[in-house]
Amino acid sequence: MAAFQEVFRRSGIDERRSPPGMVVPLGGSNIVALIDPGRKLKVDPNAHALGIKEIDGADTLRRVMQARDTFSEPDIDPQLRAASLPTTFNGDARFFEINGRIKPIGFPGLEVVARSAGRKIEAKLHVVVLPEIKIKVAFRNVMVPGSGGAPAFHAKKPCNEQDELLTMNNIWRPQANIRFERVPSDWLVIDDSQAAVKQDLASATGMKDASLATFPDVIDASKN
């Protein structure tokens, strides 16, 4: 059965939609697979809004296998592996690059279709073209008084802001064309020996006697 499918995971293609949906960055491109038994379907582009061209299947399959090898390594986190392993394709797959070259296209998107020689529509794809949205974000590790009163990290594994930023952009840029930019910020120091901090902690956790409130080793994010 003919169908459009994602090539690489987390790449801006949602196969759960009916028909599937695809995000293309304005001025950029994305890749989609067409499962085409018999390899005879013709993809109808909209020449005024999208650029659509078939690309080398051998090169694309080589990149897919490289991605599968990378995320199959034994030291890869199992959740990351499950979220990242691309599909395995057979000889029925063709690959198309779709370029958002002219203007933004909002949801639900522009319909791209694959037709048989008799002009029957065998598969559909909705394509949206999104301009980049920039969002500023700050990362603040929590510090508490440590040995001798010097600030120490509260977490056993403090946040690495560059790694966090890279992870966020790897998720959001291909799927929604949203790019996060880091805003420098100082770490957040919480000293539960201070009366005002004790009162805040007591209010957050429902304690009546604020003098007994302490900053816990494990944080309940819904309260603190």
Side-chain angles (χ1 to χ4, degrees):
M1 181 177 179
F4 286 100
Q5 292 185 4
E6 69 178 1
V7 179
F8 299 100
R9 300 291 294 275
R10 299 173 294 155
S11 62
I13 297 176
D14 186 357
E15 297 177 354
R16 296 171 299 177
R17 291 169 53 96
S18 181
M22 178 180 188
V23 169
V24 175
L26 180 62
S29 62
N30 200 352
I31 297 174
V32 66
L34 172 63
I35 307 306
D36 178 11
R39 303 178 64 86
K40 295 182 179 180
L41 298 181
K42 180 179 179 181
V43 175
D44 284 354
N46 185 318
H48 299 293
L50 298 171
I52 303 178
K53 66 176 181 180
E54 188 164 2
I55 59 176
D56 180 18
D59 180 66
T60 303
L61 288 173
R62 185 163 48 249
R63 291 168 54 197
V64 168
M65 291 307 300
Q66 288 174 346
R68 291 193 65 84
D69 290 344
T70 296
F71 289 107
S72 296
E73 293 291 332
D75 58 341
I76 296 294
D77 178 83
Q79 289 183 320
L80 178 61
R81 181 185 297 116
S84 304
L85 280 177
T87 303
T88 299
F89 295 99
N90 58 28
D92 291 337
R94 299 163 61 193
F95 302 95
F96 292 83
E97 181 181 82
I98 299 184
N99 186 288
R101 59 189 181 183
I102 303 296
K103 62 181 180 180
I105 300 172
F107 291 93
L110 183 68
E111 186 172 84
V112 173
V113 299
R115 299 180 187 271
S116 66
R119 302 294 293 169
K120 179 184 176 182
I121 296 176
E122 300 289 348
K124 296 180 180 180
L125 176 72
H126 282 178
V127 179
V128 298
V129 178
L130 302 180
E132 183 180 78
I133 296 176
K134 297 179 182 179
I135 298 177
K136 296 185 182 297
V137 60
F139 299 90
R140 305 186 72 190
N141 276 305
V142 174
M143 310 290 286
V144 294
S147 177
F153 288 112
H154 177 269
K156 293 180 180 179
K157 186 178 180 181
C159 162
N160 181 308
E161 56 210 60
Q162 287 301 118
D163 289 346
E164 294 293 334
L165 188 70
L166 179 62
T167 298
M168 293 169 67
N169 280 325
N170 283 343
I171 293 170
W172 285 91
R173 291 192 74 180
Q175 297 192 96
N177 205 19
I178 292 175
R179 179 163 63 91
F180 293 92
E181 295 181 339
R182 185 175 67 87
V183 177
S185 179
D186 294 331
W187 299 150
L188 175 64
V189 179
I190 297 180
D191 184 353
D192 61 10
S193 68
Q194 299 179 4
V197 174
K198 283 184 172 295
Q199 186 59 59
D200 285 341
L201 290 170
S203 298
T205 56
M207 295 181 63
K208 293 183 178 180
D209 187 352
S211 67
L212 300 177
T214 59
F215 193 52
D217 291 336
V218 178
I219 297 175
D220 184 343
S222 65
K223 295 180 179 178
N224 289 298

